[in-house]
Amino acid sequence: MRSKGFDFGLYVITGENYHPGRKLEQVMEQALLGGADIVQLRAKDAPKREVLAQARMLRDLTARYQVPLIINDHLDIALAVSADGVHLGQEDLPLAEARAILGPDKIIGISTHNIAQALEAQAGGADYIGVGPVFPTGTKPGRQAVTTSYVREAADRVTIPFVAIGGITLDNVDAVLEAGAKRICAVSAIVGSADPAETSRAFKHRLRAFAAMAMPNPASKQIRVNGRDEWTNAGSVQELVGQYGLQDARIVVELDGVILSREAWARTQVSEGAQLELVHFVGGG
């Protein structure tokens, strides 16, 4: 699945300790429904047979959603389940050796904690790098946060895709995006939430909003969606709903105080300064 155009926006990593009582498959499918662009299986302390079983399940799940599956550390398991690639830390197998084992078509990501490591991974042929932990996080206990200053440095100097990771939540993600990140990774904020699908949608919403603000085109207009100022080039309400990935969801659309029927979305234009509320219903009732 690796290609010259490999890219992503929202990267979600498993973390079973954050959702006791809920099955891994259920939680990760919710993240995929919410718009996860790439999934990583990370199970540092689990027995290898258990990791293999989880990898097989996630391979089937991500294949259904046509999303890449990355395995943390275990190259043998990645090969056994035909995963799309692996993610390696600074203390794991060197990048060159991993590439020799996996071949040229697999995705290899590298965790980095400073710009020297980032540039080394880039020069060595990594497909993407992780930049973090941006904030203190339970997934990396004892590791000092790199803060958004490293995110800014990576945005200035790294030319391959990089994903900001570590302690990122909906409350602080804007600061990370303002620092130059275009890709976000979340663990506890998504898999530990009561509604992983809705939380994933909220992260994708912020990514889209910052992308639009960074490169508004002549057709872009500023509107207000659910209380936030956004840029969009959508001509109709139907196009706008599609940009948010909600075209197949159960939602109610209110435009400038008027609730629109679904049949009216395609013929209703989105004008400069429009105010919309997109209310998404999850489950029955």
Side-chain angles (χ1 to χ4, degrees), residues 4-36:
K4 188 175 181 180
F6 167 68
D7 204 356
F8 55 92
L10 181 61
Y11 190 127
V12 181
I13 299 180
T14 64
E16 287 190 285
N17 55 309
Y18 292 111
H19 54 87
R22 288 184 290 167
K23 291 183 178 179
L24 178 64
E25 182 174 9
Q26 173 194 6
V27 171
M28 298 313 293
E29 182 160 24
Q30 284 295 303
L32 288 163
L33 285 167

Side-chain angles (χ1 to χ4, degrees), residues 26 150 204 218 235 238 279:
Q26 173 194 6
Y150 177 30
K204 292 293 289 280
Q238 182 165 297
V279 183

Side-chain angles (χ1 to χ4, degrees), residues 131-162:
V131 167
V134 180
F135 305 108
T137 173
T139 62
K140 295 287 184 180
R143 184 174 291 281
Q144 185 175 357
V146 299
T147 76
T148 55
S149 63
Y150 177 30
V151 177
R152 292 184 188 279
E153 199 171 11
D156 288 339
R157 301 182 62 185
V158 174
T159 58
I160 61 173
F162 78 86

Side-chain angles (χ1 to χ4, degrees), residues 12-16 19 21-34 36 39-41 50 53-65 69 190-191 196-197:
V12 181
I13 299 180
T14 64
E16 287 190 285
H19 54 87
R22 288 184 290 167
K23 291 183 178 179
L24 178 64
E25 182 174 9
Q26 173 194 6
V27 171
M28 298 313 293
E29 182 160 24
Q30 284 295 303
L32 288 163
L33 285 167
V39 166
Q40 182 191 132
L41 171 60
E50 183 179 329
Q54 291 177 344
R56 284 175 173 153
M57 177 274 293
L58 288 173
R59 173 69 291 176
D60 291 342
L61 180 63
T62 54
R64 291 205 302 272
Y65 286 87
L69 172 65
I190 291 179
V191 303

Side-chain angles (χ1 to χ4, degrees), residues 199-268:
T199 303
S200 295
R201 290 189 189 99
F203 274 113
K204 292 293 289 280
H205 173 75
R206 300 313 304 146
L207 285 161
R208 280 190 294 266
F210 270 81
M213 286 189 289
M215 294 187 298
N217 63 42
S220 293
K221 65 204 83 170
Q222 191 168 36
I223 61 175
R224 194 164 182 82
V225 181
N226 292 359
R228 290 180 178 270
D229 291 326
E230 310 284 0
W231 285 94
T232 183
N233 59 3
S236 67
V237 169
Q238 182 165 297
E239 290 176 2
L240 181 70
V241 169
Q243 287 181 0
Y244 284 96
L246 296 173
Q247 63 271 22
D248 298 320
R250 296 177 63 241
I251 66 169
V252 170
V253 177
E254 180 182 304
L255 172 63
D256 295 329
V258 177
I259 294 177
L260 299 178
S261 67
R262 188 175 286 262
E263 292 73 22
W265 292 359
R267 64 175 181 268
T268 303

